[in-house]
Amino acid sequence: MGRLLTILTLALHFATASAVSASNATSSGHREGWVSQPDGRGTFDIIWSSLFTIFLCTWTSLHLNVPALKETYWQQCVRKFKWMVMAIMAPEFLVAFATGQKVEARRSVEMWKGSGFNDWTMRHGFYANMGGFILQPKDSQPFPINAKQLHYLVTRDYVRYPQITAKEVWDKSKQDGFQKTLTMLQTVWFVLQCLGRAIQHLPLTTLELTTFSFVFCNFASYYQWSNKPLDVESPTILHCETSTKDILIQAGNWPDAEKPYKQTPLDFIDNQSPSWLTEIQPRLHFRMGPRERPLPRFTNDRFPVIGAGPDSILLFIVILAYCCLHFIAWRFSFPTRVEKILWRAGCVAIVATSFIFLACETYQDGHRLGRWDRWYIKLFPKREGTLHRMSTMEKRMREREFVPLWEVIIMSPVTMVYALARTYIVVEVFVSLRSLPNGAFDSVHWSDYIPHF
């Protein structure tokens, strides 16, 4: 948390200094097109440093789930490339996914330790929920199980508690020291360049500003995923002497155990909701992702219920800060007035749509966890109908849709507006390079910060 507060402080200082440099650049009025870099900073330098920083940050911080057993290396690369594009277009959503997964891993630690398994850690929780454990039932097809499902099987003696330590889980991670060092050096150098330009009142391009905001958001997602193994390829196989059919028969007293499963046979314990695959795609009448059932792997689009707490507050601050960083360019010098107006409109749009999304999710999140029912019972304990609300609360929570129709109707146009605004910003950061203020090609005078005689 302290590291994120430090980054927020730097971003605030950067915003203040950039606003001053923007007004100075606007007043100068002199502009340049493509500039080569024989003796100083040129257009290619701006593009290369920004894109290289974005690529390194995305490649090293994107923690995807374990692939299916029979997947090829090419399929894994294609999936990672798709998520890299998503991370670049909407990095704040990646922070939301990472935050949700961290909360779910923490809940698994509380659940396991409550059952006496004190050596279960956050790394175990991440590893299980990313599909690190594959159940191989007797005479049945193997499928991945998450922390809740594994807890159900272990506490009922279907499988033994997996004898894998937190260190062994981390050994499966493909964390590369050279990549991390290179990424850190490039990121620090890029941030110092931006801060140096802001302090010396040198114009900053919209591409560099967008990269700076991306680095800020990327750091937040990396922080939330700090205990999640990276690029795990080989899951842990857990053999079960009981068939899937017998497990379901013996779970007959569980709600939904008799219903046909949609993801895996253990959906009655946890059905991987809400996610794009389980809630959104069926409403839009098209399918992507694994078509096999049971699922051969856990998809990366699950959005665990975060709930009310420090993590949800932190997520709100990060998303708001990321969106507001684009407002630094409010007074930047653009090639045309139309582009400046469209940039401002895009900034307002992404902030407004983010607020609407967070408001809808907060409201629906309260229904998923029964928060509003509990508040109603506390506020009106003697009101008629309170007793009935208490007795039926768990049943209504199970039967309630994770993503109801009203939320789909509201969020569909909101998502379209966000996509249009975000697309314009991404396109404009490159289009605006055709005409930049003269000062944008001035280098930072680092000698001003070095003591000398």
Side-chain angles (χ1 to χ4, degrees):
M1 182 71 75
R3 296 178 182 175
L4 286 180
L5 291 176
T6 303
I7 295 295
L8 282 171
T9 304
L10 286 174
L12 180 61
H13 177 74
F14 172 68
T16 305
S18 294
V20 177
S21 62
S23 60
N24 292 342
T26 304
S27 60
S28 64
H30 300 291
R31 309 186 66 86
E32 292 283 352
W34 183 275
V35 174
S36 58
Q37 58 276 10
D39 300 316
R41 169 176 150 111
T43 307
F44 182 78
D45 292 327
I46 298 171
I47 297 174
W48 170 253
S49 64
S50 299
L51 294 185
F52 188 56
T53 302
I54 291 175
F55 173 79
L56 284 178
C57 289
T58 309
W59 185 261
T60 56
S61 69
L62 198 58
H63 293 59
L64 299 183
N65 291 343
V66 180
L69 291 173
K70 297 181 180 180
E71 269 189 349
T72 64
Y73 179 74
W74 171 250
Q75 290 175 308
Q76 297 175 36
C77 288
V78 170
R79 184 183 307 117
K80 189 163 186 176
F81 175 76
K82 291 179 180 177
W83 276 89
M84 285 180 67
V85 173
M86 196 281 285
I88 294 171
M89 293 297 295
E92 69 271 37
F93 283 95
L94 200 67
V95 180
F97 281 119
T99 303
Q101 292 174 14
K102 181 181 179 181
V103 171
E104 199 69 17
R106 185 185 297 117
R107 288 173 183 157
S108 75
V109 173
E110 296 173 357
M111 176 181 62
W112 281 95
K113 288 188 175 181
S115 300
F117 298 93
N118 295 321
D119 55 346
W120 185 272
T121 64
M122 288 287 290
R123 291 180 179 178
H124 286 91
F126 271 116
Y127 182 65
N129 292 333
M130 68 188 292
F133 294 110
I134 300 291
L135 181 68
Q136 176 59 75
K138 180 182 179 182
D139 303 327
S140 304
Q141 186 176 350
F143 55 89
I145 55 175
N146 62 21
K148 286 183 181 179
Q149 296 165 343
L150 178 60
H151 181 267
Y152 175 90
L153 296 173
V154 170
T155 54
R156 287 160 179 78
D157 297 325
Y158 288 114
V159 297
R160 293 182 179 180
Y161 178 77
Q163 299 299 317
I164 180 171
T165 64
K167 183 178 180 180
E168 291 171 336
V169 169
W170 204 244
D171 284 341
K172 289 178 171 288
S173 178
K174 301 299 187 297
Q175 294 275 13
D176 189 297
F178 174 76
Q179 288 183 359
K180 291 177 65 177
T181 303
L182 180 62
T183 303
M184 181 62 67
L185 290 174
Q186 174 63 24
T187 302
V188 170
W189 174 247
F190 182 85
V191 171
L192 288 176
Q193 284 277 357
C194 292
L195 291 174
R197 298 189 67 80
I199 293 172
Q200 295 187 2
H201 301 163
L202 296 174
L204 197 71
T205 65
T206 53
L207 176 58
E208 291 170 309
L209 172 62
T210 304
T211 304
F212 182 88
S213 60
F214 176 84
V215 168
F216 166 77
C217 220
N218 185 266
F219 179 86
S221 62
Y222 191 87
Y223 172 80
Q224 300 293 59
W225 270 332
S226 57
N227 282 304
K228 184 177 181 180
L230 176 67
D231 292 339
V232 177
E233 296 182 359
S234 301
T236 303
I237 308 298
L238 301 177
H239 294 275
C240 179
E241 296 301 322
T242 308
S243 66
T244 303
K245 180 179 179 181
D246 290 336
I247 294 176
L248 292 174
I249 291 174
Q250 295 170 19
N253 59 335
W254 272 65
D256 302 330
E258 298 180 354
K259 295 182 180 179
Y261 69 86
K262 295 181 180 179
Q263 315 303 327
T264 72
L266 300 184
D267 277 356
F268 67 94
I269 304 170
D270 189 354
N271 62 359
Q272 301 298 312
S273 294
S275 72
W276 173 266
L277 180 69
T278 58
E279 270 74 38
I280 307 301
Q281 286 192 28
R283 295 186 184 278
L284 300 179
H285 303 289
F286 73 89
R287 296 198 62 80
M288 292 178 63
R291 296 178 180 270
E292 306 98 307
R293 293 297 182 272
L295 285 175
R297 62 176 177 84
F298 286 148
T299 57
N300 297 280
D301 56 10
R302 185 187 185 187
F303 193 86
V305 178
I306 298 176
D311 290 288
S312 60
I313 297 173
L314 177 63
L315 177 61
F316 175 80
I317 293 174
V318 169
I319 292 179
L320 183 62
Y322 166 75
C323 294
C324 289
L325 279 173
H326 294 83
F327 280 90
I328 296 175
W330 190 269
R331 299 184 64 186
F332 274 21
S333 177
F334 286 82
T336 64
R337 178 169 176 77
V338 173
E339 290 174 68
K340 176 182 285 189
I341 294 174
L342 289 176
W343 180 276
R344 293 178 175 180
C347 291
V348 173
I350 60 174
V351 171
T353 52
S354 296
F355 265 111
I356 295 173
F357 173 79
L358 290 171
C360 290
E361 272 302 300
T362 300
Y363 175 79
Q364 186 59 22
D365 200 53
H367 284 299
R368 292 169 186 150
L369 297 175
R371 187 186 308 126
W372 308 136
D373 285 331
R374 289 193 294 271
W375 284 9
Y376 182 90
I377 293 169
K378 289 181 180 179
L379 292 174
F380 309 105
K382 298 182 180 180
R383 178 171 292 185
E384 184 180 356
T386 299
L387 185 62
H388 176 73
R389 183 184 287 263
M390 291 176 59
S391 61
T392 60
M393 185 172 65
E394 291 188 7
K395 180 181 178 181
R396 285 184 287 108
M397 285 174 59
R398 290 195 305 269
E399 296 176 349
R400 186 176 289 119
E401 291 182 298
F402 267 84
V403 183
L405 182 59
W406 69 263
E407 191 173 8
V408 175
I409 293 174
I410 292 176
M411 291 310 301
S412 294
V414 169
T415 303
M416 291 180 62
V417 171
Y418 174 87
L420 289 173
R422 185 64 188 161
T423 301
Y424 172 76
I425 288 176
V426 171
V427 172
E428 175 61 24
V429 298
F430 293 100
V431 173
S432 62
L433 294 176
R434 74 186 190 276
S435 177
L436 295 174
N438 280 346
F441 302 104
D442 293 337
S443 299
V444 177
H445 299 290
W446 295 109
S447 59
D448 294 347
Y449 305 104
I450 301 176
H452 57 279
F453 298 98

